[in-house]
Amino acid sequence: MRINTNYHQLSGRYLFAEIAQQVSAYKAAHPEAQLIRLGIGDVTQPLPPAAINAMHRAVDEYADTKTFHGYGPEQGYDFLINAIIAHDFVPRGIQLDRDEVFVSDGAKSDTGNIGDILAVDNIVGITDPVYPVYVDTNVMAGRTLRYIPCHADNDFTGDIPTQHLDIIYLCYPNNPTGAVITREKLAAWVEYALRHKAVILYDAAYEAFISDDSLPHSIYEIEGAKQCAIEFRSFSKTAGFTGVRCGYTVIPKTLKAEDGTSLNALWNRRQCSKFNGASYISQRGAEAIYSPKGQQEVRDIIGRYKANAAYIRQSLADMGLTVYGGQHSPYIWVSTPDGEDSWHFFRRLLNDANVVVTPGEGFGTHGEGYVRITAFGTADDSRAAVARIKKIL
Ligand code: PLP
């Protein structure tokens, strides 16, 4: 037996595992320390009551042979797919067929697994800094990566490449920089992809944080995108489903590989062979967030995180730090003071302020010189963290 040696090419440890290890070591040495964790992008608010009630009802259905559910459709239940299309796409002028939406257990699996249907010799463009899953899963598959530098001068949206790429990962609002992409810039990426017969893998996990109507929520708002883009969505950050698990992926039937093969058909085949569907309970919970009550509750939850983001962003700017993001995103991307090394600043914040952030370098070489702070903590924690940071700067 031999292993997939591509795994040897992965960087030592998954970023958040490395941070967790450093935080545990600190905690073991200082058991009395009250850490504030604004590192990993996990939510803290309870689920919307509409989702909780729907999931309770769904659990009760399992108690009776007449309403019991076994395996569901691998692609997701129609009740959820219909709600997704009606609420997330139709109001933005996007028409989708039901079989263009694939419900899943979240965007991490889908953004990682999508490579199953794409050739190993495709050249992959990955924005840097980036959500590490895109890098790691392509390294595991043995693909060649080309990094697309994202920095303040290109508004963290990358310059349109002059060389050929086959696959391009884009994520807006962005993790980790909190940047958004304008309609014009996204149209330039779509134009590039159509010209190069490339596919854009568009991760819109944070779409619900956009509050400027001129910004695109979906790549399909851009003409031509249905011929060149796959879109990933998640209920994790929209509705607090990080532990419940539910998301979906859109693959238009008009998206074809160079040889004319439908990626929609291929993904359907892949899912039928390797995935047995997201849980009925999660899907009922997700459906409920589209009810009028659910929509209001979700808006309230996101409003809280956005208020934290605004507070953190403004307070750090008032301290003289250079800050990005945090307006249409739960992430604030902060330049380290005087160009301090990002892991060094991470450790200083951990040791001296007992605040956990994420060092930018962990997201790629162009993340050096920054740290990412999340607004997913409670309002009290966000305020306390800012006060502690102020003290040590
Ligand atoms: N995509 C991005 C950009 C993320 O930041 C995350 C989670 O942090 C995910 C996807 C994962 O989402 P899910 O919980 O749906 O797997």
Side-chain angles (χ1 to χ4, degrees):
M1 183 271 285
R2 292 173 303 283
I3 61 150
N4 174 355
T5 53
N6 294 325
Y7 277 65
H8 290 318
Q9 307 304 317
L10 291 168
S11 63
R13 233 198 251 244
Y14 185 63
L15 171 63
F16 293 103
E18 174 64 33
I19 292 170
Q21 197 276 326
Q22 296 208 18
V23 171
S24 309
Y26 179 82
K27 198 66 185 145
H30 307 87
E32 73 299 338
Q34 297 289 321
L35 298 182
I36 301 178
R37 295 168 195 268
L38 303 182
I40 192 163
D42 201 355
V43 295
T44 52
Q45 289 293 315
L47 291 183
I52 292 289
N53 292 334
M55 288 196 285
H56 276 301
R57 285 194 300 272
V59 169
D60 286 340
E61 290 180 37
Y62 280 85
D64 189 323
T65 45
K66 286 201 260 331
T67 49
F68 176 82
H69 301 273
Y71 292 124
E74 290 89 351
Q75 303 80 357
Y77 285 98
D78 277 351
F79 62 76
L80 178 56
I81 294 175
N82 287 336
I84 287 168
I85 295 173
H87 290 90
D88 288 347
F89 294 97
V90 171
R92 310 202 75 81
I94 302 159
Q95 305 300 327
L96 292 174
D97 290 342
R98 274 210 297 269
D99 56 2
E100 294 181 306
V101 177
F102 297 84
V103 174
S104 71
D105 63 355
K108 184 176 187 175
S109 337
D110 283 1
T111 52
N113 291 331
I114 195 71
D116 274 15
I117 64 166
L118 301 168
V120 171
D121 61 358
N122 281 305
I123 300 168
V124 183
I126 289 191
T127 51
D128 175 6
V130 73
Y131 176 52
V133 172
Y134 317 149
V135 176
D136 287 358
T137 53
N138 278 288
V139 170
M140 288 170 183
R143 290 203 184 83
T144 305
L145 302 185
R146 298 261 160 78
Y147 289 99
I148 303 166
C150 290
H151 39 69
D153 291 344
N154 58 28
D155 297 321
F156 300 98
T157 57
D159 295 332
I160 304 296
T162 48
Q163 79 223 130
H164 175 79
L165 298 171
D166 298 302
I167 300 171
I168 302 143
Y169 285 83
L170 296 179
C171 169
Y172 293 100
N174 188 258
N175 175 14
T177 64
V180 288
I181 194 161
T182 62
R183 215 169 276 277
E184 294 69 32
K185 185 64 182 276
L186 191 53
W189 275 112
V190 167
E191 191 276 325
Y192 172 91
L194 291 171
R195 194 156 32 87
H196 285 263
K197 299 191 181 351
V199 63
I200 296 176
L201 302 179
Y202 194 72
D203 187 340
Y206 297 95
E207 150 294 318
F209 287 79
I210 296 175
S211 46
D212 173 346
D213 241 9
S214 72
L215 297 169
H217 287 244
S218 165
I219 193 166
Y220 304 119
E221 292 176 48
I222 309 297
E223 209 184 317
K226 277 190 174 181
Q227 280 75 50
C228 67
I230 293 175
E231 182 162 304
F232 303 93
R233 296 271 188 114
S234 170
F235 294 100
S236 286
K237 311 303 161 81
T238 311
F241 273 44
T242 53
V244 176
R245 309 306 303 145
C246 200
Y248 65 89
T249 291
V250 178
I251 310 190
K253 285 179 280 193
T254 44
L255 174 58
K256 302 277 167 62
E258 279 171 27
D259 69 356
T261 305
S262 157
L263 295 195
N264 176 291
L266 227 51
W267 183 246
N268 189 41
R269 186 73 182 75
R270 189 261 174 215
Q271 291 296 81
C272 289
S273 292
K274 289 202 185 181
F275 184 60
N276 248 341
S279 116
Y280 173 77
I281 299 167
S282 309
Q283 293 188 62
R284 278 295 183 201
E287 178 198 22
I289 67 143
Y290 292 111
S291 66
K293 185 169 173 294
Q295 289 283 280
Q296 186 53 50
E297 289 164 357
V298 161
R299 268 196 297 276
D300 290 348
I301 294 170
I302 290 179
R304 282 170 195 241
Y305 293 137
K306 284 180 69 107
N308 290 345
Y311 176 79
I312 296 169
R313 182 187 153 97
Q314 189 57 50
S315 310
L316 297 181
D318 290 346
M319 290 175 213
L321 292 169
T322 306
V323 291
Y324 302 94
Q327 285 168 315
H328 305 286
S329 159
Y331 297 123
I332 302 103
W333 189 239
V334 186
S335 289
T336 57
D338 306 317
E340 187 173 341
D341 171 273
S342 68
W343 279 99
H344 190 272
F345 189 47
F346 158 81
R347 277 189 288 273
R348 194 151 72 90
L349 289 176
L350 175 62
N351 290 311
D352 301 349
N354 288 175
V355 173
V356 182
V357 300
T358 311
E361 194 272 340
F363 297 104
T365 51
H366 286 84
E368 185 49 273
Y370 297 91
V371 292
R372 188 194 74 173
I373 301 184
T374 91
F376 281 128
T378 61
D380 285 349
D381 276 355
S382 303
R383 282 173 190 275
V386 162
R388 290 185 190 181
I389 294 171
K390 189 170 183 184
K391 237 187 202 163
I392 68 150
L393 284 183

